[in-house]
Amino acid sequence: MPGLFFYWTAWVGWVVFTFFMEKGKIRTEMTIVVLGIIACSSTTVMIRDISINLSMVILLFYGYRKLAELNRSRLLFTAGVCQVVALAYVGFFMYCLYDPAILWLDRKWMTAILIFLLVQFLVKPFSLRCLTAVIGVIHGNLLLAWIMHGYFLPMKAGSLVCFDLLAACLAMIAVWRAYEEFASLLNIFFKRTFSQKGHYSK
């Protein structure tokens, strides 16, 4: 069912932001944005004969707002990586149309893995990884819809399949971040344990 993973992930994210995140401006923003995306996910707007999901518009403008808060050098680098992600999104979709034999998984999952790997290798901070993935996927989906429209193949920008893909990518980034935190805590624990053993052995 298209959108199932997106809705499930969005509600889990809303619960985490609402009940587990420290109170503050960021928590309020995130809860409002997530609720807005869920509420508007079935609403579309028409821009130059291209149907665009309203949730995608909300998410894109929020991403631009967060992008504008970065300093100049990081802004330029992140914007460049977003375009790399967008081109990878479009290029992989086009290649799948030309040679579907490469699809050993569902296309959205393979695309999510590709974008996850690009973001992991090119961007370090967790927040920027999420921001880059969001803006890159949206740019790629909008560019793809525009290309398909040029070939008289109408395609909705921001379909539930696209949101499933984005949710899967963000979930991978979050899981990897949790793994990094766990590995760091485990490393600290073992260092303390070995240092205490060395102290007692003296």
Side-chain angles (χ1 to χ4, degrees), residues 69-89:
E69 296 176 358
L70 303 176
N71 59 54
R72 185 181 179 85
S73 59
R74 181 161 285 188
L75 171 63
L76 293 175
F77 176 78
T78 306
V81 175
C82 289
Q83 302 318 308
V84 171
V85 172
L87 292 176
Y89 180 98

Side-chain angles (χ1 to χ4, degrees), residues 11-23 27 31:
W11 280 115
V12 169
W14 181 82
V15 170
V16 171
F17 295 142
T18 304
F19 299 104
F20 297 98
M21 197 172 180
E22 185 179 353
K23 290 183 178 179
R27 187 187 80 163
T31 52

Side-chain angles (χ1 to χ4, degrees), residues 55-69:
S55 293
M56 177 173 278
V57 177
I58 295 172
L59 197 56
L60 184 61
F61 277 105
Y62 181 74
Y64 284 160
R65 180 170 171 254
K66 303 304 290 186
L67 198 64
E69 296 176 358

Side-chain angles (χ1 to χ4, degrees), residues 85-162:
V85 172
L87 292 176
Y89 180 98
V90 176
F92 186 72
F93 184 91
M94 292 297 186
Y95 190 78
C96 290
L97 289 179
Y98 176 75
D99 186 11
I102 66 169
L103 294 174
W104 48 273
L105 276 178
D106 186 80
R107 186 176 62 208
K108 67 182 176 185
W109 288 104
M110 289 188 67
T111 310
I113 292 172
L114 173 64
I115 293 170
F116 164 73
L117 292 175
L118 279 174
V119 171
Q120 288 294 124
F121 282 116
L122 296 176
V123 185
K124 189 171 177 109
F126 171 71
S127 59
L128 279 186
R129 284 174 176 172
C130 294
L131 183 63
T132 303
V134 169
I135 296 178
V137 169
I138 293 176
H139 280 187
N141 194 249
L142 289 172
L143 177 59
L144 187 60
W146 179 75
I147 293 172
M148 292 293 106
H149 179 73
Y151 286 99
F152 303 100
L153 297 171
M155 174 182 173
K156 179 181 177 182
S159 64
L160 291 179
V161 174
C162 175

